[in-house]
Amino acid sequence: MSNEEVRTGVWFVGARGSVATTAVTGCAAITAGLHPPTGMATETPAFARSALPALPSLVFGGHDVACAPLPKRAEELTAAGVLPHGLARAVAGDLAVADAEIRPGGPLPGDTRSDEELIAAFAADLVDFRDRLDLARVVVINVSSTEPVPTPDAPRLAPSSLYASAAVRTGCPYVNFTPSTGLHTPDLLTAAAARGLPHAGRDGKTGQTLLRSVLAPMFVQRALAVRAWSGTNLLGGGDGAALADPAAAAAKNAGKERVLSDVLGAAPEGEVHIDDVPALGDWKTAWDHIAFEGFLGSRMVLQTIWQGCDSALAAPLVLDLARLAARAHAVGLSGPLTELGFYFKDPDGTSAALAEQYGELLAFAERLREPR
């Protein structure tokens, strides 16, 4: 049976958010030949023989606490300039099919269900999705809003960990595209290892941190001393609102800072600030100010500005990760997929330079190939 005939489920946590909506729309557009797969590493020649699930074979569903249907969300993203005009209408049927597979998430305000009851409900949704649609496997991907880091004495699991628990319980590969806790608790990691499940994360690297992971090695390789590295993010939309919470912003910034400390050997002076600017919608601007020292103590400065659409940057990465995690599960790989650190701010393992991470990703593509 070909990789187009075997159907693979992609279950989004945050299925009606901007990233998931853009990913579903984009997959439908590429499948229909309406747009090229720009931004998808898995569509480059290096992955041609990796036997990844074909894009037309992906079946989407998910959990969300929001109620607006995907066709409506796609129209909203069109009005915001995220999706090209006419595309939401062109793939409205695909969006409606995916929306029919979205189930209520939680916990919602006033929800009296225990952690175990919520996990059981989420797990039942996953099993129903997989069995009813005759899917070979389901990859669970967390693309929901960033949540604060739970305190050590928290009486309940973080919401992201409830969904991760359901993924482990039902034998689903898991990808955490957010900085939230998800699978990263000792008990859940142990359970995932016992089930032999592959997993990857955390926090997708789409803009400012992507650029940092390229620039930081330059300073190291040229023996230039970085004195300070400061940054500011201006963003709106759901992420802007979520990251207005200082605790959520702190969780987000941890990955940004780790990239610098891992590559430079120590964290330089300076902080990253995140400001919610609702008028920007799904667009963001990231500014970095790098103070460094050259030959004979000469003081110099490099400034960068990154402007982009977060969901359009993230969506192709999410589709890549769904295909790679599914293939890893199909060939029997388990545990943290460290080669996928290329996609994350805070991966399982060290945040190496982007070029090194890309080399590991290409080596991983070779491991996924079918025997000749």
Side-chain angles (χ1 to χ4, degrees), residues 56-361:
S57 75
L58 300 183
V59 181
F60 297 99
H63 283 116
D64 207 319
V65 296
C67 297
L70 283 182
K72 176 65 174 176
R73 289 290 293 118
E75 290 291 354
E76 291 171 352
L77 291 175
T78 300
V82 177
L83 299 177
H85 286 287
L87 181 58
R89 290 190 296 275
V91 298
D94 299 89
L95 292 170
V97 169
D99 190 72
E101 300 298 337
I102 298 176
R103 302 293 179 260
L108 291 165
D111 195 333
T112 60
R113 289 176 292 177
S114 66
D115 284 358
E116 173 56 32
E117 289 172 323
L118 285 163
I119 293 168
F122 298 157
D125 291 335
L126 284 167
V127 171
D128 173 70
F129 179 63
R130 182 174 57 201
D131 293 352
R132 180 169 43 81
L133 299 180
D134 192 26
L135 306 175
R137 58 191 47 81
V138 177
V139 179
V140 176
I141 305 182
N142 182 19
V143 289
S144 60
S145 298
T146 300
E147 64 190 23
V149 177
T151 60
D153 59 348
R156 301 189 61 168
L157 286 174
S160 62
S161 295
L162 299 174
Y163 295 109
S165 297
V168 172
R169 183 170 298 184
T170 53
C172 295
Y174 178 81
V175 176
N176 190 359
F177 202 72
T178 81
S180 301
T181 304
L183 194 66
H184 282 254
T185 73
D187 288 346
L188 282 176
L189 288 172
T190 298
R195 293 294 303 266
L197 294 175
H199 54 87
R202 296 185 287 179
D203 200 5
K205 182 165 56 184
T206 57
Q208 183 183 43
T209 311
L210 176 66
L211 192 57
R212 286 182 165 207
S213 65
V214 173
L215 290 175
M218 176 191 72
F219 291 103
V220 174
Q221 292 161 6
R222 294 297 296 270
L224 299 169
V226 175
R227 297 173 49 243
W229 199 316
S230 302
T232 295
N233 281 262
L234 308 176
L235 70 161
D239 271 353
L243 295 173
D245 177 355
K252 184 76 171 179
N253 284 336
K256 294 177 179 288
E257 294 166 357
R258 181 180 172 183
V259 169
L260 295 182
S261 60
D262 281 354
V263 177
L264 298 176
E269 292 182 10
E271 297 179 347
V272 177
H273 297 276
I274 299 177
D275 295 328
D276 178 24
V277 185
L280 292 180
D282 205 51
W283 299 83
K284 72 175 183 179
T285 296
W287 170 76
D288 271 24
H289 182 283
I290 309 162
F292 64 101
E293 189 172 290
F295 193 52
L296 304 179
S298 56
R299 300 290 182 90
M300 291 175 272
V301 168
L302 171 64
Q303 294 187 29
T304 66
I305 297 176
W306 177 285
Q307 294 178 308
C309 172
D310 229 19
S311 58
L313 290 165
L317 310 187
V318 167
L319 293 172
D320 276 353
L321 288 163
R323 302 172 80 193
L324 291 164
R327 179 60 180 161
H329 188 246
V331 300
L333 299 182
S334 63
L337 301 175
T338 57
E339 298 92 340
L340 302 188
F342 172 74
Y343 290 97
F344 299 103
K345 298 182 181 72
D346 189 14
D348 295 306
T350 302
S351 300
L354 189 69
E356 181 181 339
Q357 290 179 330
Y358 184 60
E360 293 177 355
L361 179 64

